[in-house]
Every structure is written in C-alpha cells, then in structure tokens.
Amino acid sequence: MANKSRAEYYRKRRETIGQFSVPLSREKLNALTEKLNEQNKTKTQWLNEKVDEELGQQK
C-alpha cells in the first residue's frame, strides 16, 4: 500500500513540478553554492527568483 501511495504522490508531483538541469563547471557551481549558503538560500529559491526577474514577475 505504501508503494502505491508513493507512486501516486510522484505522479501528481510531476504534473506540477518540472526539472531544470544544466551542466556547469565545478568551480562556478562551488562559488555559487558558497554564496547562496552565505545568503541562507537554496539553489531552488535562487533560481525561482532569477526566473521571476526574467519573466517580470518579481514580488
């Protein structure tokens, strides 16, 4: 029963959440991660802010 529930959860999640992945040099990724840690932000939070800015939907 738990496996069915888990499968259903991920099925519904894929309907609303997409994946965005790009290759990035390790040096840049480490620098970005360090900067975001200083700002107490996750990569997801940061990317959502940048996408909102690009789309003109900044809060």
Side-chain angles (χ1 to χ4, degrees):
M1 187 74 168
N3 284 341
K4 186 173 184 176
S5 175
R6 181 180 171 126
E8 184 63 25
Y9 167 80
Y10 281 106
R11 192 173 298 116
K12 287 183 178 182
R13 180 177 166 89
R14 284 189 298 271
E15 291 176 4
T16 60
I17 302 292
Q19 190 79 17
F20 183 81
S21 177
V22 295
L24 191 61
S25 75
R26 180 62 62 186
E27 184 177 291
K28 283 185 180 182
L29 181 58
N30 289 343
L32 176 61
T33 301
E34 185 175 316
K35 185 170 185 165
L36 293 177
N37 284 339
E38 291 171 2
Q39 297 174 1
N40 293 320
K41 288 185 184 178
T42 66
K43 288 181 267 188
T44 301
Q45 289 170 326
W46 175 81
L47 183 58
N48 276 321
E49 289 174 6
K50 295 302 175 186
V51 170
D52 289 346
E53 287 174 15
E54 187 66 26
L55 296 176
Q57 299 174 354
Q58 189 174 10
K59 295 179 184 179

